[in-house]
Amino acid sequence: MNEIKNRLDALRLEMLKQNLDAFYISGTDPHSSEYLLEKWKTREFITGFTGSYGVVAITHEEAGLWTDSRYFIQAEEQLKGSGVKMFKHREPDTVSPEQWLSEKLKPESKVGLEAQTVTVNGFRALNRELGAKGIALVKTVDFFDKIWNNRHEIPHSLVYDFPLKYAGISRKEKWEQLAAELKKADADFHVISMLDELAWMFNLRGDMVNFSPVFTGYGVVGKNEMLLFTKKTGIQPQLLAQLEKEKISVFEYENFSAWLNETKGTKIFIDPSTLNYSAFEILEKNGNSFVEGTSLAALQKARKNSVELQGFSNAMVKDGVAMVEFLYWIRQNIGNSPITEYTVGRKLDEIRSKQEGYKGESFPPIVGYKNHGAIVHLSVGTYNALPLEPEGILLIDSGGQYINGTTDITRTIALGEVTAQQKIDFTLVLKGMIALSTVVFPVGTAGCQLDILARKPLLERGLNYGHGTGHGVGHFLNVHEGPVSIRHDFNPNPIEPGMVFSNEPGIYRNELYGIRIENLIVCIEKEENEFGKFLGFETLTLCPVDTSLIDFELLEPAEKEWLNAYHLRVKNELMPHLNKEHQSFLAEITLLV
Amino acid sequence: MNEIKNRLDALRLEMLKQNLDAFYISGTDPHSSEYLLEKWKTREFITGFTGSYGVVAITHEEAGLWTDSRYFIQAEEQLKGSGVKMFKHREPDTVSPEQWLSEKLKPESKVGLEAQTVTVNGFRALNRELGAKGIALVKTVDFFDKIWNNRHEIPHSLVYDFPLKYAGISRKEKWEQLAAELKKADADFHVISMLDELAWMFNLRGDMVNFSPVFTGYGVVGKNEMLLFTKKTGIQPQLLAQLEKEKISVFEYENFSAWLNETKGTKIFIDPSTLNYSAFEILEKNGNSFVEGTSLAALQKARKNSVELQGFSNAMVKDGVAMVEFLYWIRQNIGNSPITEYTVGRKLDEIRSKQEGYKGESFPPIVGYKNHGAIVHLSVGTYNALPLEPEGILLIDSGGQYINGTTDITRTIALGEVTAQQKIDFTLVLKGMIALSTVVFPVGTAGCQLDILARKPLLERGLNYGHGTGHGVGHFLNVHEGPVSIRHDFNPNPIEPGMVFSNEPGIYRNELYGIRIENLIVCIEKEENEFGKFLGFETLTLCPVDTSLIDFELLEPAEKEWLNAYHLRVKNELMPHLNKEHQSFLAEITLLV
């Protein structure tokens, strides 16, 4: 904790030197990434908080960290003694970092920020709120370099070709599709700054950060140009030659600012919710005009092609096999050998790693036993992991990166006797999960219009969960991807065929237990007739649901049918890949209900 | 039809005189009204189309009318031979009037419009689309006066006090509430231009137009001023004195433009979706600034107070009694005396008019027999009304204005034997209606997030309906009121306690029949606990649903329970007000299912 205090002191000293009254830390990188390179972990550096989301605001007297409901407990814990206060972000009746700053500071105060780590929308919101009180934003330059000894550099790691047999569509075709979209939008270029969009666009992957096979860079796509800015040393000469042969110009990462400075009087398509303000500002100063909207690359990426979907199906079989082996391992060992929440996560990774094409975890596993299950995004280390006993319920949310797909699955299982209340809660969550799995909806429907279906069985009993129902999932890319979601929050982007989402309702009883059931689903076309065009979902995930946690009184016949059909499908798909022992285990846990 | 052609010729001649290449007619009045004074029926005057929604665009060579799915059949019929072509408005793959004009016209063309009948948002959209092609908008002055002989004036009709015993909240309290909202929004004034908002704000009513007890005028509300601009002759001296005593300044309607011209350098709250552009432009020229948002008066009006809700309940008993008498009349007379769709509407009005406090219809009744039922907003006259026979199904959508509430109800009834398919369709619609009636949802939910529940039983079978599920309903005011709705279209305004909506799913089999069931519902608080604050609905309408049209195989136990409980409540509430004959009829049609 002394280290954190020293860092805060150093930051405030630098604030003084630069004549700043406060400092704002978005907590992300120039690419709006969720999983960060060491270099960009400024939030963690300054507060000690290791969660994946949080904004920091610091004055000379006080400091605050704003994070969401997933991390309230973890943040309280990690911030103890740091002098940084936790605030709940975007909860009713809470103050936002912008409001906090405008309340704490006098007019004509100055707030520093690293504009390359703040999105265009983020900068505008901050400027609007603080500007109204006469507080100015000051764009600092390499602020953290000055106070962070031995700050990491961007690593020179491998960037490799993602072959057509997995990608399904060539770089050339993607380029043509995007050029056609640009023409419709009447723009000359599309600037791509998010790393998953970049990897998708160029059919490349990297291994720079944990949990996602992306690499650092920027892309620019126009009718006649396809430019890639990245650490060139990471690209093997043969691949480099191949890219140049495809008329893709590859430049050093650092040269992107030269491109920004040289680009004048053009019309550029940008996504203000992801492009960083620093890049935008240069383009704006140079007299370029903008078409703003949801990233065209992100939208194209979200609609998975048939090869990508085939890859998903393939990865799901592997992940399902690993999950069955894992569930069997739990059953055999619970009460016999010491298992903790932490070792469960390690075991899962170990089992998955035996699967062909497995490249690592797609996010840090969330393993919550008993009351820990009620902490939505708990990340356990060896220091705080609960030991598992043959009683109560265990929530396991984990996922893998496979060369042909990304998985994300949550199962909640009974480790022994369970209560009637736990069964009721589990069954309500299952009913919501089935309702979303089976919905039919008209073309043009957005996820926020479907979200209620997954919550309905809970809402009817005065229950609810504080997170979204579904996030987009990338294809051997980010496990959380935009720009479409299934949440209570408004997001007008409609759900389209080929889009892959999680379907993960839950219920969390504070201090007692947490329940979540999560499958991945893909949007498919259902029917077209005189009443319109209808879409629905198909389930991708292949893993049994724990039927010992079901209160069958609460299931309707159609829901039982769905469950039986799902288990039959799981059996048919997984059996050929299991040994005898695992086969009989799977047969036993998928008996008809 | 010759008359319509002559009018079009006269309009084009006037276009020539004023050097215009096209003319745009929004089809509404300066107050964004649905039901118009004769003076403002410019769409009908120029095209002959009598529906309540439609935009007209006219060039020297062509003319188009854009209307929505409710009126496609009626418009095709009424436009025959007029030289005006019907276009489907806001349907997929259809051209909008703006696009049509920009395609038909050359750059530097001029399009005339009456800016006082176009909203701020409407003007901006038009200007954006046409401006992009270098086409200019020209604001004409009293254009229709020049071509419309004997055009109606705004009538000098009665404006009367709406007493506190019905309104529930005094003008003074409403003023204070609005002033508090204005303070929050940091604005000096709220300009009120919609007539129902005006009537609500000032606790006044009028009888200028059919179907809604409003009167023409504008209102301005600020911290220290409450100004009403209307035809003063309509207000009795005693009421005028009372208003002035309450510090409400009443001016002539025509003096509103003087107020606009004199108001300078203030900050004005406006709703750009309803304020007319002509008023906005003057305020803007005078250096006023604006806070734009959903009308504060509309939002307050939408949240009905306890007295208004008590009034609704009271009106529902009267309307329910009238409906039971009407259903009995149908049953006694079908096959015995000649009844047509048209006479059904007249009979309903006659029966309702026996109820105390009945002030007239709240909209033109929609009575659709057999294939006519599939025409969603059919308005039958004597010339096209189908005679009813003791067979098939009849859809009746009607409503009344009562001094203490506005009603809107649809019932679909069997006039004889019905088919299995009709029963299935009816039951699916009923299931959707029940689903919305019983939903529980978290505070902050918008109607577009609930709409799917009413459609779900239909969607599951590849069926759907092309209209919204619910509109707001005024309290002895407009039967269709904003700013909150339950539709598939996005409307982010959340549903709040006290808001009254229709709940009206349907299914329309082209050329065969239409089914719709509609109750009014009011949002109520359900529960607050550690999982949040939950809302739901209570049904206001009191009238049996035709159980002979139900396929009981498709109803779940909970749905049967809902129906039985509803019918029991209908019986309890209506029986004391019925004669013996009607009592036994009601008992018979509300038997337990």
Side-chain angles (χ1 to χ4, degrees), chain A residues 439-446 448-450 452-453 456 459-464 487-488 490-492 507-509 527 529 531 534 556, chain B residues 439-446 448-450 452-453 456 459-464 487-488 490-492 507-509 527 529 531 534 556:
Chain A
V439 63
V440 180
F441 54 96
V443 161
T445 301
C448 58
Q449 299 177 283
L450 299 182
I452 189 96
L453 296 170
K456 192 169 178 272
L459 292 171
E460 281 166 358
R461 293 173 180 237
L463 305 171
N464 200 1
R487 301 177 63 91
H488 189 261
F490 270 57
N491 173 346
I507 174 80
Y508 309 93
R509 299 264 182 196
E527 187 176 351
N529 58 33
F531 295 98
F534 301 94
E556 284 165 35
Chain B
V439 63
V440 180
F441 55 96
V443 161
T445 301
C448 57
Q449 298 176 282
L450 299 182
I452 188 95
L453 296 170
K456 191 169 178 272
L459 293 170
E460 280 166 358
R461 292 173 181 237
L463 305 170
N464 200 1
R487 301 177 64 90
H488 189 261
F490 269 57
N491 173 345
I507 175 79
Y508 309 94
R509 299 265 182 194
E527 187 176 352
N529 59 33
F531 295 98
F534 301 93
E556 284 165 34

Coordinates of all heavy atoms in Angstrom, one line a residue, chain A residues 439-446 448-450 452-453 456 459-464 487-488 490-492 507-509 527 529 531 534 556, chain B residues 439-446 448-450 452-453 456 459-464 487-488 490-492 507-509 527 529 531 534 556:
Chain A
V439 N -36.5 -17.7 -28.6 CA -37.4 -16.5 -29.0 C -37.3 -16.4 -30.6 O -36.3 -16.8 -31.2 CB -36.9 -15.2 -28.4 CG1 -35.4 -14.9 -28.8 CG2 -37.8 -14.1 -28.8
V440 N -38.4 -16.0 -31.1 CA -38.5 -15.7 -32.5 C -38.8 -14.2 -32.6 O -39.7 -13.7 -31.8 CB -39.6 -16.5 -33.2 CG1 -39.7 -16.1 -34.7 CG2 -39.4 -18.0 -33.1
F441 N -38.1 -13.4 -33.4 CA -38.3 -12.0 -33.4 C -38.2 -11.4 -34.9 O -37.5 -12.0 -35.7 CB -37.3 -11.3 -32.5 CG -35.8 -11.6 -32.8 CD1 -35.1 -10.8 -33.5 CD2 -35.3 -12.8 -32.2 CE1 -33.7 -11.1 -33.8 CE2 -33.9 -13.1 -32.4 CZ -33.2 -12.2 -33.2
P442 N -38.9 -10.3 -35.1 CA -38.8 -9.7 -36.4 C -37.4 -9.1 -36.8 O -36.8 -8.6 -35.8 CB -39.9 -8.6 -36.4 CG -40.4 -8.5 -35.0 CD -39.7 -9.5 -34.2
V443 N -37.1 -9.1 -38.0 CA -35.8 -8.5 -38.5 C -35.9 -7.0 -38.0 O -37.0 -6.4 -38.0 CB -35.8 -8.5 -40.0 CG1 -34.9 -7.4 -40.5 CG2 -35.3 -9.9 -40.5
G444 N -34.8 -6.5 -37.5 CA -34.7 -5.1 -37.0 C -34.8 -5.0 -35.5 O -34.8 -3.9 -35.0
T445 N -34.9 -6.1 -34.8 CA -35.0 -6.0 -33.4 C -33.7 -5.9 -32.8 O -32.7 -6.6 -33.2 CB -35.7 -7.3 -32.9 OG1 -37.0 -7.4 -33.5 CG2 -35.9 -7.3 -31.4
A446 N -33.6 -5.1 -31.7 CA -32.3 -4.9 -31.0 C -32.3 -5.7 -29.8 O -33.4 -6.1 -29.3 CB -32.1 -3.4 -30.7
C448 N -31.8 -5.0 -26.7 CA -32.5 -4.4 -25.5 C -34.0 -4.6 -25.6 O -34.7 -4.4 -24.6 CB -32.2 -2.9 -25.4 SG -32.6 -1.9 -26.9
Q449 N -34.5 -5.1 -26.7 CA -35.9 -5.4 -26.9 C -36.2 -6.9 -26.5 O -37.3 -7.3 -26.4 CB -36.4 -5.1 -28.3 CG -36.2 -3.6 -28.6 CD -36.6 -3.2 -30.0 OE1 -35.9 -3.5 -30.9 NE2 -37.8 -2.7 -30.1
L450 N -35.1 -7.7 -26.4 CA -35.2 -9.1 -26.1 C -34.9 -9.4 -24.6 O -35.2 -10.4 -24.1 CB -34.4 -9.9 -27.0 CG -34.7 -9.9 -28.5 CD1 -33.7 -10.8 -29.2 CD2 -36.1 -10.2 -28.8
I452 N -35.7 -8.5 -21.8 CA -36.8 -8.8 -20.8 C -37.2 -10.3 -20.7 O -37.6 -10.8 -19.7 CB -38.0 -7.9 -21.1 CG1 -39.1 -8.0 -20.0 CG2 -38.7 -8.3 -22.4 CD1 -39.0 -6.9 -19.0
L453 N -37.0 -11.0 -21.8 CA -37.4 -12.4 -21.9 C -36.6 -13.2 -20.9 O -37.1 -14.1 -20.3 CB -37.3 -12.9 -23.3 CG -38.2 -12.2 -24.3 CD1 -37.9 -12.6 -25.7 CD2 -39.7 -12.5 -24.0
K456 N -37.7 -12.3 -17.3 CA -39.2 -12.4 -16.9 C -39.5 -13.3 -15.8 O -40.1 -13.0 -14.8 CB -40.0 -12.8 -18.2 CG -41.5 -12.6 -18.0 CD -42.2 -12.7 -19.4 CE -43.7 -12.6 -19.2 NZ -44.3 -13.9 -18.9
L459 N -38.3 -11.6 -12.7 CA -39.0 -10.3 -12.4 C -40.3 -10.6 -11.8 O -40.8 -9.9 -10.8 CB -39.2 -9.5 -13.7 CG -37.9 -8.9 -14.3 CD1 -38.2 -8.4 -15.7 CD2 -37.3 -7.8 -13.4
E460 N -41.0 -11.7 -12.2 CA -42.3 -12.0 -11.7 C -42.3 -12.3 -10.2 O -43.3 -12.3 -9.6 CB -42.9 -13.3 -12.5 CG -43.4 -12.9 -13.8 CD -43.7 -14.1 -14.7 OE1 -43.4 -15.2 -14.3 OE2 -44.2 -13.9 -15.9
R461 N -41.1 -12.7 -9.7 CA -41.0 -12.9 -8.3 C -40.2 -11.8 -7.6 O -39.6 -12.0 -6.5 CB -40.3 -14.3 -8.0 CG -41.2 -15.4 -8.5 CD -40.5 -16.7 -8.5 NE -41.3 -17.8 -8.9 CZ -41.7 -18.9 -8.2 NH1 -41.2 -19.0 -7.0 NH2 -42.5 -19.8 -8.6
G462 N -40.1 -10.6 -8.2 CA -39.4 -9.5 -7.6 C -37.9 -9.7 -7.5 O -37.2 -9.2 -6.6
L463 N -37.3 -10.5 -8.5 CA -35.9 -10.7 -8.5 C -35.3 -10.2 -9.8 O -36.0 -9.9 -10.8 CB -35.6 -12.3 -8.5 CG -36.2 -13.0 -7.3 CD1 -36.0 -14.5 -7.5 CD2 -35.5 -12.6 -6.0
N464 N -34.0 -10.0 -9.9 CA -33.4 -9.4 -11.1 C -31.9 -9.6 -10.9 O -31.4 -10.0 -9.9 CB -33.7 -7.9 -11.2 CG -33.5 -7.4 -12.6 OD1 -33.1 -8.2 -13.5 ND2 -33.8 -6.2 -12.8
R487 N -28.9 -6.4 -23.7 CA -28.9 -5.8 -22.4 C -30.1 -5.0 -22.1 O -30.8 -4.7 -23.0 CB -27.7 -4.9 -22.2 CG -26.3 -5.5 -22.5 CD -25.2 -4.4 -22.4 NE -25.2 -3.8 -21.1 CZ -24.4 -4.3 -20.1 NH1 -23.6 -5.3 -20.3 NH2 -24.4 -3.7 -18.9
H488 N -30.3 -4.6 -20.9 CA -31.4 -3.7 -20.5 C -31.1 -2.3 -21.1 O -32.0 -1.5 -21.5 CB -31.7 -3.6 -19.0 CG -32.9 -2.9 -18.7 ND1 -32.9 -1.6 -18.2 CD2 -34.2 -3.3 -18.7 CE1 -34.2 -1.2 -18.0 NE2 -35.0 -2.2 -18.2
F490 N -30.0 0.7 -23.5 CA -30.3 0.9 -24.9 C -29.1 0.8 -25.8 O -28.0 1.3 -25.6 CB -30.9 2.4 -25.1 CG -32.4 2.4 -25.0 CD1 -33.0 1.9 -23.8 CD2 -33.2 2.8 -26.0 CE1 -34.3 1.9 -23.7 CE2 -34.5 2.8 -25.9 CZ -35.1 2.3 -24.8
N491 N -29.3 0.0 -26.9 CA -28.3 -0.2 -27.9 C -29.1 -0.5 -29.1 O -29.6 -1.6 -29.3 CB -27.3 -1.3 -27.6 CG -26.4 -1.7 -28.7 OD1 -26.5 -1.2 -29.8 ND2 -25.3 -2.4 -28.4
P492 N -29.2 0.5 -30.0 CA -30.1 0.4 -31.2 C -29.7 -0.5 -32.3 O -30.4 -0.8 -33.2 CB -30.3 1.8 -31.6 CG -29.1 2.5 -31.2 CD -28.5 1.8 -30.0
I507 N -28.8 -15.0 -10.9 CA -29.4 -14.5 -9.6 C -28.3 -14.6 -8.5 O -27.6 -15.6 -8.4 CB -30.7 -15.2 -9.3 CG1 -31.2 -14.7 -7.9 CG2 -30.5 -16.7 -9.2 CD1 -32.0 -13.5 -8.0
Y508 N -28.2 -13.5 -7.8 CA -27.1 -13.4 -6.8 C -27.7 -13.1 -5.4 O -28.3 -12.0 -5.3 CB -26.1 -12.4 -7.2 CG -25.7 -12.7 -8.7 CD1 -26.3 -12.1 -9.7 CD2 -24.7 -13.7 -8.9 CE1 -26.0 -12.4 -11.1 CE2 -24.4 -14.0 -10.2 CZ -25.0 -13.4 -11.3 OH -24.7 -13.7 -12.6
R509 N -27.6 -14.0 -4.5 CA -28.2 -13.8 -3.2 C -27.0 -13.4 -2.3 O -26.1 -14.2 -2.0 CB -28.8 -15.1 -2.6 CG -29.9 -15.6 -3.4 CD -31.2 -15.1 -2.8 NE -32.4 -15.7 -3.6 CZ -33.6 -15.2 -3.5 NH1 -33.9 -14.2 -2.7 NH2 -34.6 -15.7 -4.2
E527 N -37.8 -17.7 -40.8 CA -38.9 -17.8 -41.7 C -39.2 -16.5 -42.3 O -38.9 -15.4 -41.7 CB -40.2 -18.2 -40.8 CG -41.4 -18.5 -41.6 CD -42.6 -19.0 -40.8 OE1 -42.4 -19.3 -39.6 OE2 -43.7 -19.1 -41.3
N529 N -42.4 -14.7 -44.5 CA -43.8 -15.0 -45.0 C -44.5 -13.6 -45.1 O -43.9 -12.6 -45.0 CB -44.6 -15.9 -44.1 CG -44.7 -15.4 -42.7 OD1 -44.7 -14.2 -42.5 ND2 -44.7 -16.3 -41.7
F531 N -46.2 -12.1 -43.1 CA -46.2 -11.3 -41.9 C -44.8 -10.7 -41.6 O -44.6 -10.0 -40.6 CB -46.6 -12.1 -40.7 CG -48.0 -12.6 -40.8 CD1 -48.4 -13.8 -41.3 CD2 -49.0 -11.7 -40.5 CE1 -49.7 -14.2 -41.4 CE2 -50.4 -12.1 -40.6 CZ -50.7 -13.3 -41.1
F534 N -38.5 -13.3 -40.0 CA -38.3 -13.6 -38.6 C -36.9 -14.3 -38.4 O -36.4 -15.1 -39.1 CB -39.4 -14.6 -38.1 CG -40.7 -14.0 -38.3 CD1 -41.5 -14.2 -39.4 CD2 -41.2 -13.1 -37.3 CE1 -42.8 -13.7 -39.6 CE2 -42.5 -12.6 -37.5 CZ -43.3 -12.8 -38.6
E556 N -42.2 -25.7 -17.5 CA -43.3 -26.0 -18.4 C -42.9 -27.2 -19.3 O -41.8 -27.4 -19.6 CB -43.7 -24.8 -19.2 CG -44.5 -23.8 -18.3 CD -44.6 -22.5 -18.9 OE1 -44.7 -22.4 -20.2 OE2 -44.6 -21.5 -18.2
Chain B
V439 N -47.0 -8.3 -16.9 CA -45.5 -8.2 -16.8 C -45.1 -7.4 -15.6 O -45.8 -6.5 -15.1 CB -45.0 -7.5 -18.1 CG1 -45.5 -6.1 -18.2 CG2 -43.5 -7.6 -18.1
V440 N -44.0 -7.8 -15.0 CA -43.3 -7.0 -13.9 C -42.0 -6.6 -14.5 O -41.3 -7.4 -15.2 CB -43.1 -7.9 -12.7 CG1 -42.4 -7.1 -11.6 CG2 -44.4 -8.5 -12.2
F441 N -41.6 -5.3 -14.4 CA -40.4 -4.8 -15.0 C -39.7 -3.8 -14.1 O -40.3 -3.2 -13.3 CB -40.7 -4.2 -16.4 CG -41.8 -3.1 -16.4 CD1 -41.4 -1.8 -16.3 CD2 -43.1 -3.4 -16.4 CE1 -42.4 -0.8 -16.3 CE2 -44.1 -2.4 -16.4 CZ -43.7 -1.1 -16.4
P442 N -38.4 -3.7 -14.2 CA -37.6 -2.8 -13.4 C -37.9 -1.3 -13.8 O -38.1 -1.0 -14.9 CB -36.1 -3.1 -13.7 CG -36.1 -4.1 -14.8 CD -37.5 -4.5 -15.2
V443 N -37.8 -0.5 -12.8 CA -37.9 1.0 -13.0 C -36.9 1.4 -14.1 O -35.8 0.8 -14.1 CB -37.6 1.8 -11.7 CG1 -37.2 3.2 -12.0 CG2 -38.8 1.7 -10.8
G444 N -37.3 2.2 -15.0 CA -36.4 2.7 -16.1 C -36.6 1.9 -17.4 O -35.9 2.2 -18.4
T445 N -37.6 1.0 -17.4 CA -37.8 0.3 -18.6 C -38.7 1.1 -19.6 O -39.7 1.7 -19.2 CB -38.5 -1.1 -18.3 OG1 -37.7 -1.8 -17.4 CG2 -38.8 -1.9 -19.5
A446 N -38.4 1.0 -20.9 CA -39.2 1.8 -21.9 C -40.1 0.8 -22.5 O -39.9 -0.4 -22.5 CB -38.3 2.4 -22.9
C448 N -40.6 0.1 -25.6 CA -40.1 -0.7 -26.7 C -39.3 -2.0 -26.2 O -39.0 -2.9 -26.9 CB -39.1 0.1 -27.6 SG -37.8 0.9 -26.7
Q449 N -39.1 -2.0 -24.9 CA -38.5 -3.2 -24.3 C -39.5 -4.2 -23.8 O -39.2 -5.3 -23.4 CB -37.6 -2.7 -23.1 CG -36.5 -1.8 -23.6 CD -35.6 -1.3 -22.4 OE1 -36.0 -0.4 -21.7 NE2 -34.4 -1.9 -22.3
L450 N -40.8 -3.8 -23.8 CA -41.9 -4.7 -23.3 C -42.7 -5.2 -24.5 O -43.4 -6.2 -24.4 CB -42.8 -4.0 -22.4 CG -42.2 -3.5 -21.1 CD1 -43.3 -2.8 -20.2 CD2 -41.5 -4.6 -20.3
I452 N -42.2 -6.9 -27.1 CA -42.0 -8.2 -27.6 C -42.9 -9.2 -26.8 O -43.3 -10.2 -27.4 CB -40.5 -8.7 -27.4 CG1 -40.2 -10.0 -28.1 CG2 -40.1 -8.7 -25.9 CD1 -39.7 -10.0 -29.4
L453 N -43.3 -8.9 -25.6 CA -44.1 -9.8 -24.8 C -45.5 -10.0 -25.4 O -46.0 -11.1 -25.4 CB -44.2 -9.3 -23.3 CG -42.9 -9.2 -22.6 CD1 -43.1 -8.4 -21.3 CD2 -42.3 -10.6 -22.3
K456 N -45.0 -12.2 -28.6 CA -44.3 -13.5 -28.5 C -45.2 -14.7 -29.0 O -44.7 -15.5 -29.8 CB -43.8 -13.7 -27.1 CG -42.8 -14.8 -26.9 CD -42.2 -14.8 -25.6 CE -41.2 -15.9 -25.3 NZ -41.9 -17.1 -24.8
L459 N -45.3 -14.4 -32.7 CA -44.0 -14.6 -33.4 C -43.5 -16.1 -33.4 O -43.0 -16.5 -34.4 CB -42.9 -13.8 -32.6 CG -43.1 -12.2 -32.7 CD1 -42.1 -11.6 -31.7 CD2 -42.8 -11.7 -34.1
E460 N -43.8 -16.8 -32.3 CA -43.5 -18.2 -32.3 C -44.1 -19.0 -33.4 O -43.6 -20.1 -33.8 CB -43.9 -18.8 -30.9 CG -42.9 -18.4 -29.8 CD -43.4 -18.7 -28.4 OE1 -44.6 -19.2 -28.3 OE2 -42.7 -18.5 -27.5
R461 N -45.2 -18.5 -34.0 CA -45.8 -19.2 -35.1 C -45.6 -18.4 -36.4 O -46.4 -18.6 -37.4 CB -47.3 -19.4 -34.8 CG -47.5 -20.4 -33.7 CD -48.9 -20.4 -33.3 NE -49.1 -21.4 -32.2 CZ -49.9 -22.4 -32.2 NH1 -50.6 -22.7 -33.3 NH2 -50.0 -23.2 -31.2
G462 N -44.6 -17.5 -36.5 CA -44.3 -16.8 -37.7 C -45.4 -15.8 -38.0 O -45.6 -15.5 -39.2
L463 N -46.1 -15.2 -37.0 CA -47.1 -14.2 -37.2 C -46.7 -12.9 -36.5 O -45.8 -12.9 -35.7 CB -48.4 -14.7 -36.6 CG -49.0 -16.1 -37.1 CD1 -50.1 -16.5 -36.2 CD2 -49.4 -16.0 -38.6
N464 N -47.3 -11.8 -36.9 CA -47.0 -10.5 -36.3 C -48.1 -9.5 -36.7 O -48.9 -9.9 -37.6 CB -45.6 -10.1 -36.8 CG -45.0 -9.0 -35.9 OD1 -45.5 -8.6 -34.9 ND2 -43.8 -8.6 -36.3
R487 N -44.2 0.2 -28.2 CA -44.1 -0.2 -29.6 C -42.8 -0.9 -29.9 O -41.9 -0.8 -29.1 CB -44.1 1.1 -30.5 CG -45.3 2.0 -30.3 CD -45.2 3.3 -31.1 NE -45.1 2.9 -32.6 CZ -46.2 2.9 -33.4 NH1 -47.4 3.1 -32.9 NH2 -46.0 2.6 -34.7
H488 N -42.7 -1.4 -31.1 CA -41.4 -2.0 -31.5 C -40.4 -0.9 -31.8 O -39.2 -1.0 -31.6 CB -41.6 -2.9 -32.8 CG -40.4 -3.7 -33.1 ND1 -39.5 -3.3 -34.1 CD2 -39.9 -4.8 -32.6 CE1 -38.5 -4.2 -34.2 NE2 -38.7 -5.1 -33.3
F490 N -38.2 2.4 -31.4 CA -37.5 3.0 -30.3 C -38.1 4.2 -29.7 O -38.4 5.1 -30.5 CB -36.0 3.3 -30.6 CG -35.1 2.1 -30.4 CD1 -35.4 0.9 -31.0 CD2 -34.1 2.2 -29.5 CE1 -34.7 -0.2 -30.7 CE2 -33.3 1.1 -29.3 CZ -33.6 -0.1 -29.9
N491 N -38.3 4.3 -28.5 CA -38.8 5.4 -27.8 C -38.2 5.3 -26.4 O -38.7 4.5 -25.6 CB -40.3 5.5 -27.7 CG -40.9 6.6 -26.9 OD1 -40.1 7.2 -26.1 ND2 -42.1 6.9 -27.0
P492 N -37.2 6.0 -26.1 CA -36.4 5.8 -24.8 C -37.1 6.3 -23.5 O -36.7 6.0 -22.4 CB -35.1 6.5 -25.0 CG -35.4 7.6 -26.0 CD -36.6 7.1 -26.9
I507 N -54.1 -9.6 -35.0 CA -53.6 -10.4 -36.1 C -54.5 -10.2 -37.3 O -55.8 -10.2 -37.1 CB -53.4 -11.9 -35.8 CG1 -53.0 -12.8 -37.0 CG2 -54.7 -12.5 -35.2 CD1 -51.6 -12.7 -37.3
Y508 N -54.0 -10.0 -38.5 CA -54.8 -9.6 -39.6 C -54.5 -10.5 -40.8 O -53.4 -10.6 -41.3 CB -54.5 -8.1 -40.0 CG -54.7 -7.3 -38.8 CD1 -53.5 -6.9 -38.0 CD2 -55.9 -6.9 -38.3 CE1 -53.7 -6.2 -36.8 CE2 -56.0 -6.2 -37.1 CZ -54.9 -5.8 -36.4 OH -55.1 -5.2 -35.2
R509 N -55.5 -11.3 -41.1 CA -55.4 -12.3 -42.3 C -56.0 -11.6 -43.5 O -57.2 -11.5 -43.6 CB -56.1 -13.6 -42.0 CG -55.6 -14.3 -40.8 CD -54.6 -15.4 -41.1 NE -54.2 -16.1 -40.0 CZ -53.1 -16.9 -40.0 NH1 -52.4 -17.1 -41.1 NH2 -52.7 -17.5 -38.9
E527 N -43.2 -3.5 -6.2 CA -42.4 -4.0 -5.1 C -41.1 -3.3 -5.1 O -40.6 -2.9 -6.2 CB -42.2 -5.5 -5.3 CG -41.5 -6.2 -4.2 CD -41.4 -7.7 -4.4 OE1 -42.0 -8.2 -5.4 OE2 -40.6 -8.4 -3.6
N529 N -37.3 -4.0 -3.3 CA -36.5 -4.8 -2.4 C -35.0 -4.7 -2.8 O -34.6 -3.8 -3.6 CB -37.0 -6.3 -2.5 CG -36.9 -6.8 -3.9 OD1 -36.0 -6.4 -4.7 ND2 -37.8 -7.6 -4.3
F531 N -33.3 -6.3 -4.8 CA -33.0 -6.5 -6.2 C -33.5 -5.3 -7.1 O -33.3 -5.3 -8.3 CB -33.7 -7.8 -6.7 CG -33.2 -9.0 -6.0 CD1 -33.8 -9.6 -5.0 CD2 -32.0 -9.5 -6.5 CE1 -33.3 -10.7 -4.3 CE2 -31.4 -10.7 -5.9 CZ -32.1 -11.2 -4.8
F534 N -39.7 -2.4 -8.8 CA -40.4 -3.1 -9.8 C -41.7 -2.4 -10.1 O -42.5 -2.1 -9.2 CB -40.6 -4.6 -9.5 CG -39.2 -5.3 -9.3 CD1 -38.7 -5.4 -8.1 CD2 -38.5 -5.8 -10.4 CE1 -37.5 -6.1 -7.9 CE2 -37.3 -6.4 -10.3 CZ -36.8 -6.5 -9.0
E556 N -52.5 -21.4 -21.0 CA -51.9 -22.0 -19.8 C -52.7 -21.8 -18.6 O -53.5 -20.8 -18.5 CB -50.5 -21.4 -19.6 CG -49.5 -22.0 -20.6 CD -48.2 -21.1 -20.7 OE1 -47.8 -20.6 -19.6 OE2 -47.7 -21.0 -21.8

